[in-house]
Amino acid sequence: YISGPPTCVLRYFKVKGRAEAIRLMLELAGWEYQQDLFTSEEWKNGKKSEGIEKGLYTFGQVPQLTIKWADREVNLVQSQAIVRYLANYLNMYGESPEQRAQIDVVVDGAGDFRNKFSAIKYSDSFEAQKPEFFKTTVPLWLGYFENILKSQPEENFIVTQKLSMADIVLFDVIDLISSYDSEGNG
């Protein structure tokens, strides 16, 4: 960094959610950051409109990250856009267009896996659907990622021969889903 690392403010709900991969990237970077965390009720009762008025929540949603460099300030929304921004700074987004494309394949696949889980997690029949999800969907998707990992010469990282944003995002999704076992604990 020309003028040293930035300071950051991460805005999100008081849960891991879609901000967790961002937190992991900030920790890996060693960047100082504060969190402005709130409840769903606080979001509905003013946080959202306040952030929109300030120009922080481009699409009226979070996570949102403010990055203050010595000479500029960057305000970002969209969890994967934030993760990619951080990955570019941390040299965790591949060294070639082919590696970046493969990283994107894994990140997008992890997003699809998360979406499949979210579809049942936030449904009225979560408890009824959960056993089948853990019996069929989880092994299927973990198998997809295992095949990608096996295609790597050393099988240490999912795409490149060093830690990439794909590893972080995939870890985040697997950690989320595994926090709910088929018995409903989580």
Side-chain angles (χ1 to χ4, degrees), residues 44-116:
K44 292 175 195 169
N45 293 331
K47 272 288 190 184
K48 180 178 181 178
S49 58
E50 174 188 309
I52 290 171
E53 288 172 19
K54 290 180 179 178
L56 296 175
Y57 308 142
T58 306
F59 301 110
Q61 59 194 35
V62 288
Q64 188 278 337
L65 182 66
T66 298
I67 305 165
K68 295 180 183 181
W69 298 93
D71 61 343
R72 67 194 183 284
E73 183 174 295
V74 178
N75 289 296
L76 299 170
V77 294
Q78 297 294 344
S79 57
Q80 294 312 311
I82 297 168
V83 169
R84 275 191 297 275
Y85 179 90
L86 296 172
N88 274 302
Y89 266 96
L90 301 174
N91 196 24
M92 294 176 67
Y93 196 27
E95 296 176 10
S96 68
E98 293 76 18
Q99 281 187 348
R100 285 187 287 281
Q102 288 302 309
I103 287 169
D104 287 340
V105 165
V106 171
V107 168
D108 291 352
D112 290 346
F113 190 25
R114 176 190 290 269
N115 290 341
K116 288 187 178 300

Side-chain angles (χ1 to χ4, degrees), residues 140-158:
L140 176 69
W141 278 83
L142 291 179
Y144 293 154
F145 294 117
E146 183 178 20
N147 289 339
I148 295 169
L149 182 61
K150 285 180 178 179
S151 72
Q152 296 303 312
E154 296 180 25
E155 296 183 30
N156 293 328
F157 302 101
I158 194 78

Side-chain angles (χ1 to χ4, degrees), residues 125-169:
S125 58
F126 178 53
E127 294 302 323
Q129 293 183 61
K130 190 174 8 182
E132 184 63 23
F133 181 83
F134 277 90
K135 182 179 176 184
T136 59
T137 306
V138 170
L140 176 69
W141 278 83
L142 291 179
Y144 293 154
F145 294 117
E146 183 178 20
N147 289 339
I148 295 169
L149 182 61
K150 285 180 178 179
S151 72
Q152 296 303 312
E154 296 180 25
E155 296 183 30
N156 293 328
F157 302 101
I158 194 78
V159 176
T160 62
Q161 296 306 304
K162 63 179 187 173
L163 192 65
S164 75
M165 76 178 228
D167 298 289
I168 301 302
V169 171

